[in-house]
Amino acid sequence: MASSDILLQVKDLKTHIAGRDGQRVVKAVDGVSFDLKRGETLGIIGESGSGKSMTALSIMRILPSAAKVVSGEILFNGENLLTKSEGEMRRLRGEKISMILQDPMVSLDPLFTVGSQLAEPLRVHRGLGGTALKERMTELMSSVSIPSPELRLKQYPHQMSGGMLQRIVGAIAISCDPQLLIADEPTTALDPTVQAQFLDLLESLRDAKHLSVIVVTHDFGVAARLCDRVMVMYAGRIVEMGPIREIFDQPRHPYTKALLASIPDATERGTRHLRSIEGAPPDLGALPPGCPFAPRCDSVTERCRREYPAQFQIAAGHVANCWQVMGQ
């Protein structure tokens, strides 16, 4: 693959969170590496605490105060984001890289109108004002299917529904035509009907703008709808990665298999017990030796408890970190 095809490269990224006592260290992201092609949509899947959102926040460089990237590289258009000043990152955020958070009420300031918040990136990054600004704002509102845009621009966030607010956040995210859009659990706060509508919107925006997209989700249904590839994370690491269809049809890591088995099957008649993954994710501040999924795995061996598994290639672009994959 030509380097010009790659928009984002994350290399051995490690993000740690310091404990309150200053001694304990939580390895929230522990050696994550992946590429993202131009125009590609990549899904990051895992349970809460798997490191998927911390990976996204590390790329944006908007980590909580206790968290810090301790090593690795994040190359965007060949430039390492970790070496850029905060001023340089502010210029990149919104213009080249944008993010949609899972709760629009957190993203939007309740004290300012929707219009003033949509106008800000256009003024800062595009230098728009007057008639040009109003026309661009109206165009953006229409692009995310907001009716009566002139009226809505004058309203405050509390005057709108959750689905409409998420569309507003989407409009802000694409306002300056970024190259990369990161969506962190974008449908979690929405009811099922509005979820479907927002996924339709996200899909159409991606295709119209030829965006590269990272979708952070715990929902394989969302990933199947939007993603070309998916990487499954557990305990701060990637345990399996590959084309979405292949991951669905031939999952190889026991954790991926367990996640897929826990999805309700709408085609089944009668009642059945939903399968769950026994146990709980490990304490990231005190990880056990070997594979962190070993205590919850049905096919665990003694080697799994002793050594972290190597990464095995299953097919082109499909890898998994599990001793059982190659019968080791």
Side-chain angles (χ1 to χ4, degrees):
M1 185 186 301
S3 59
S4 59
D5 294 334
I6 301 295
L7 178 69
L8 179 74
Q9 289 179 289
V10 176
K11 298 183 178 181
D12 198 24
L13 178 67
K14 296 183 180 181
T15 301
H16 294 175
I17 303 173
R20 292 181 180 178
D21 58 3
Q23 302 296 320
R24 176 182 162 87
V25 174
V26 173
K27 297 179 180 179
V29 182
D30 192 17
V32 165
S33 299
F34 65 91
D35 295 343
L36 179 69
K37 293 186 291 186
R38 299 179 191 278
E40 182 184 30
T41 301
L42 173 70
I44 306 180
I45 289 184
E47 294 169 283
S48 296
S50 63
K52 56 190 190 299
S53 289
M54 291 299 289
T55 299
L57 294 176
S58 298
I59 294 169
M60 293 293 295
R61 293 230 347 234
I62 52 173
L63 290 165
S65 58
K68 182 180 180 181
V69 174
V70 296
S71 65
E73 291 182 304
I74 302 172
L75 303 178
F76 179 73
N77 281 323
E79 298 183 5
N80 191 356
L81 298 183
L82 298 179
T83 64
K84 293 192 175 295
S85 68
E86 182 53 36
E88 290 172 321
M89 283 304 301
R90 278 197 298 269
R91 286 190 288 275
L92 279 172
R93 293 190 206 106
E95 183 177 17
K96 300 295 184 183
I97 308 173
S98 288
M99 189 169 188
I100 298 175
L101 298 173
Q102 58 182 284
D103 187 349
M105 289 303 293
V106 173
S107 305
L108 298 171
D109 192 322
L111 301 180
F112 292 88
T113 64
V114 164
S116 65
Q117 296 181 69
L118 179 56
E120 182 179 4
L122 294 170
R123 288 196 183 101
V124 172
H125 297 299
R126 291 289 182 263
L128 296 183
T131 302
L133 176 61
K134 290 179 181 178
E135 289 178 351
R136 177 58 175 159
M137 290 168 64
T138 302
E139 176 191 345
L140 285 165
M141 295 287 275
S142 298
S143 74
V144 295
S145 304
I146 298 289
S148 306
E150 295 84 358
L151 171 65
R152 295 298 185 181
L153 287 168
K154 298 175 183 177
Q155 293 183 327
Y156 290 85
H158 74 272
Q159 295 175 288
M160 298 185 180
S161 68
M164 195 166 289
L165 288 176
Q166 195 66 304
R167 288 172 180 269
I168 297 294
V169 171
I172 294 172
I174 65 163
S175 60
C176 296
D177 295 321
Q179 294 174 289
L180 171 61
L181 176 65
I182 300 175
D184 186 3
E185 299 280 9
T187 61
T188 296
L190 308 178
D191 65 52
T193 301
V194 180
Q195 281 186 24
Q197 293 171 348
F198 187 75
L199 290 177
D200 286 342
L201 172 66
L202 195 56
E203 194 171 27
S204 64
L205 290 174
R206 177 199 62 192
D207 295 343
K209 305 285 185 180
H210 196 59
L211 287 167
S212 296
V213 182
I214 295 176
V215 179
V216 176
T217 183
H218 63 275
D219 188 338
F220 260 109
V222 170
R225 171 70 182 277
L226 294 174
C227 300
D228 302 303
R229 286 189 302 136
V230 66
M231 66 186 210
V232 181
M233 290 190 68
Y234 188 80
R237 297 183 178 184
I238 300 170
V239 296
E240 186 164 5
M241 179 161 52
I244 184 66
R245 190 74 271 160
E246 192 163 332
I247 293 290
F248 262 93
D249 293 343
Q250 295 182 313
R252 300 302 296 273
H253 196 282
Y255 180 59
T256 309
K257 293 177 183 179
L259 286 176
L260 287 167
S262 67
I263 300 174
D265 188 346
T267 65
E268 284 194 358
R269 299 195 175 190
T271 60
R272 70 179 179 98
H273 293 293
L274 287 177
R275 291 187 60 182
S276 60
I277 306 174
E278 297 297 326
D283 179 352
L284 297 182
L287 287 170
C291 176
F293 189 62
R296 307 173 73 188
C297 183
D298 292 336
S299 12
V300 63
T301 67
E302 281 306 310
R303 186 176 191 181
C304 301
R305 300 184 193 278
R306 293 193 316 266
E307 302 175 50
Y308 188 82
Q311 184 179 89
F312 296 101
Q313 182 164 334
I314 297 151
H318 187 181
V319 296
N321 290 68
C322 178
W323 293 121
Q324 303 305 311
V325 168
M326 302 300 289
Q328 300 289 316

